[in-house]
Structures are given as C-alpha cells and as structure tokens.
Amino acid sequence: MTLSVVPCPVRDEWDAAVNSQLGHPMQLWGWGETKAAHKWSVDRVLVKDGETLVGSAQILLRSLPVPFNSLAYLARGPQAEPGRENEVLDAVGRYVKASHKSVALSIEPDWDAETVAVATLPATGWTPSASTILIPRTLILDLTRSEDELQGAMSKKTRQYIRKSSREGLEYRAVTAAELPQCMAVYKETAERAEFGIHEDSYYSDILANLGHGSPIYGAFQGEKLVAFLWLAASNATAFELYGGMTEEGSTLRANYSLKWLAIQEMKARGITRYDFNGLLNDGVSKFKFGFADHENMLAGTWDLGLSPLYPVFARFLPVARRSMKKARGLLKR
C-alpha cells in the first residue's frame, strides 16, 4: 500500500506525533518556527498507512537561485516506525518533489550509522554528501543508567573536577529568560576567544521563545554574575546540546564540569533517555566531552536524494559555495 503524506498545521498534534516516535528536538514545532523566522520556510507532514501514523518529517526549505528552486532539509529527521524508515523517506521524497519542486532532499537522521536503514540508503537512490551541517560523530549518554553508572563511565579527572568545581562557591541553576542577555554576553566573549561565528541575538531569543520548556539553559553564577552557561534543546526522548560558553573566570573555576553534570541530571529527572553532546571533533572542547563517557557514537551522516535533473550540477556547486562563504566570513573577520 502506498503511504500517504498529509500536512500537519496544528502544533500540539505535531509535537505529539514527533514525541510518540521518540523524535529529536530539532523536529519539534518550535525549532521549525525559529528557522522559519530566519531565512527558511517549513512544511510539516505526517506519513500514514491508512489511518496509522508510521512517520513524520519537519521539512526545512531554503530558497535557491533559478533554476534550482529550493533545497529541502531534514535536521535529525524523519521519524519513522522501526523497519519502515525507507518507506517513509520514499514517501517524503515524492512529496517534496511534487509540492516544492526542490532540487534535492538532504537528510541528517538521528539514526545509528550501523542500522539496516542506513545500509540500504544507497539502494534506494540516496547518495552520501560531504556538505554536513550536524556532525555525525558524537557522544550520546544512556540516561536510563543510574547516576553512579554514568559517573563510573567518566574519566577520573572529570569526576575530580566535578567535585572540585562544586566546592568553588558557585551557584548552579536554571537560567531565566530575563538572564538571557548575560548568556549572550558570555557567548560573544567565548566566540571571540575561540574564533567561531554566531547568529544575531534575535535568533537565540527566538529559540527560547519558540521552544519554551523544550529549551532549558543552565548557568554557573558567582553571586549575580554568570560565569558559564549550557543551552539545550529537548524532546521527550532526547536532550541535545546547542550552545555553551564561559568567562575566563569560569574556566579557571572549572565551572563547565559541574554545569554539564547538572544538565545531565536535570534531563534524566525529566525522564529523557538520550543525552547528545552534539558533535565530536579533534579539539579541546571534544577532549572535554570525552571525559564524560567511555565510548563515542556515529550517526548516519548526511545523505542527499536528487529530485531534479539539475541535481548533479547542484551537488558540485554546493561545496564550492560553502567554502567560498566560509572564506569570505574569515576575511571579513580579519
């Protein structure tokens, strides 16, 4: 039976569908609303077998110059019933081609790289892409484990620094919306020190407004002063680290160790079962993350489904365009 694809315009219905299939927070309504306010458009569809929900996909669409029309993108999606991932992808691909005439559908699903669903992607027309947005190599904690088990998997140094930083007279707690400007000041300081780019302030305030309870921020305070923060997005199943930053003082006090442990504890208390550290590279931040577990994870990566005869041209053009944009940003910064 051919699966049907039905747009979903109701927030509560959409989020319930995503959470019923253990979806990622980047598939929640609030995340899509934020992207829609910042140069994307969004289309949310339910995939059904008769009256039975078998999948869902929050499709982000970025306009492209003629004749490419648009690029469709699924951030950590779609949701799909186990064993029906390829059927859901086929249905969503046909829908995007017919409804949006996009040059391609690009996906970065929240699936382990070793699953059958990923292994069979090439046979169903998908090709791996080097134009990655979300890093597939990551670290995901199993929050069904006890706190003792989670700490047992940490490095000895990480456990020591958690204990040490907890004795430094800092207050670790949730950050309020009124304190967001403090987070942004610390984030800008961190970005300047580490030389990475950030969005305009409105992007971050939109995330907090649109995700609400699904966007907790935790901070380390020295008196009234914020010295470190950690910002998450959370669905019913998965917590995902978005942003973080520290002042020089926060770094000296190792505030990031107790802060991350607080976030892990809080997400576990919510009943969330997966805590994703959002990417591993060969850098100092990743070395810090590695201290919290004795393993790493590899997700599916980035895959494209060409939907237009122009896709081969687009596939060659996109990496060059991204490199040029990155180089231009670097020149502007200097």
Side-chain angles (χ1 to χ4, degrees):
M1 179 179 180
T2 301
L3 301 181
S4 61
V5 180
V6 184
C8 180
V10 180
R11 178 173 188 150
D12 289 347
E13 182 184 357
W14 176 257
D15 284 347
V18 171
N19 283 317
S20 73
Q21 295 181 313
L22 308 180
H24 193 274
M26 285 187 168
Q27 285 287 297
L28 292 175
W29 185 281
W31 186 261
E33 288 298 280
T34 299
K35 302 306 287 187
H38 296 272
K39 300 181 180 179
W40 295 81
S41 57
V42 61
D43 189 4
R44 304 173 181 92
V45 296
L46 304 176
V47 183
K48 296 185 175 183
D49 185 348
E51 295 300 315
T52 303
L53 179 72
V54 295
S56 57
Q58 178 163 257
I59 306 161
L60 300 177
L61 296 145
R62 193 64 176 264
S63 295
L64 297 174
V66 176
F68 299 120
N69 293 324
S70 66
L71 171 67
Y73 171 57
L74 305 186
R76 291 291 182 256
Q79 290 67 240
E81 289 299 306
R84 305 197 72 171
E85 294 91 348
N86 294 116
E87 288 181 79
V88 170
L89 282 175
D90 177 67
V92 173
R94 285 187 282 103
Y95 172 85
V96 170
K97 182 176 182 178
S99 299
H100 299 291
K101 296 179 173 55
S102 300
V103 67
L105 172 60
S106 184
I107 62 169
E108 292 179 325
D110 194 23
W111 303 341
D112 188 276
E114 299 302 316
T115 58
V116 172
V118 175
T120 54
L121 284 174
T124 54
W126 293 84
T127 57
S129 171
S131 297
T132 297
I133 297 175
L134 299 170
I135 301 169
R137 181 182 175 224
T138 188
L139 194 162
I140 301 174
L141 296 182
D142 177 4
L143 297 190
T144 65
R145 304 176 76 188
S146 70
E147 289 190 6
D148 286 343
E149 288 174 321
L150 290 169
Q151 286 205 336
M154 296 177 188
S155 70
K156 181 179 178 180
K157 185 178 80 170
T158 295
R159 290 194 298 271
Q160 289 174 339
Y161 280 145
I162 289 174
R163 290 193 294 269
K164 182 178 184 299
S165 58
S166 69
R167 296 193 296 266
E168 294 291 351
L170 299 175
E171 180 187 8
Y172 296 92
R173 61 169 174 82
V175 172
T176 67
E179 292 168 327
L180 181 60
Q182 286 197 64
C183 293
M184 294 310 306
V186 172
Y187 196 40
K188 290 172 184 176
E189 178 184 331
T190 303
E192 184 173 352
R193 187 170 62 243
E195 297 186 330
F196 62 84
I198 62 176
H199 297 280
E200 66 275 18
D201 287 0
S202 62
Y203 182 82
Y204 302 99
S205 58
D206 284 347
I207 291 174
L208 192 59
N210 289 324
L211 281 173
H213 181 67
S215 185
I217 309 173
Y218 300 100
F221 291 83
Q222 190 172 51
E224 297 297 318
K225 181 183 179 183
L226 180 76
V227 298
F229 77 94
L230 180 59
W231 192 337
L232 311 175
S235 62
N236 285 3
T238 297
F240 184 73
E241 293 187 351
L242 291 176
Y243 316 109
M246 281 193 301
T247 63
E248 294 284 2
E249 192 168 21
S251 179
T252 300
L253 296 172
R254 309 284 185 181
N256 51 339
Y257 285 88
S258 285
L259 187 59
K260 193 176 290 289
W261 178 233
L262 171 66
I264 292 167
Q265 289 175 303
E266 290 290 320
M267 295 299 97
K268 180 175 172 60
R270 284 196 185 190
I272 289 170
T273 57
R274 300 168 74 245
Y275 185 102
D276 190 336
F277 283 61
N278 184 11
L280 294 171
L281 298 168
N282 296 315
D283 62 357
V285 174
S286 296
K287 184 177 180 181
F288 162 67
K289 292 177 180 180
F290 271 126
F292 283 83
D294 55 4
H295 72 282
E296 64 179 74
N297 300 84
M298 183 62 74
L299 297 179
T302 310
W303 293 81
D304 286 353
L305 179 67
L307 301 177
S308 161
L310 294 172
Y311 171 72
V313 177
F314 170 79
R316 289 195 300 272
F317 163 78
L318 183 60
V320 174
R322 284 189 171 164
R323 285 196 297 270
S324 298
M325 290 173 64
K326 185 176 181 181
K327 182 178 180 181
R329 284 195 297 266
L331 290 171
L332 286 171
K333 187 176 182 64
R334 288 195 292 272

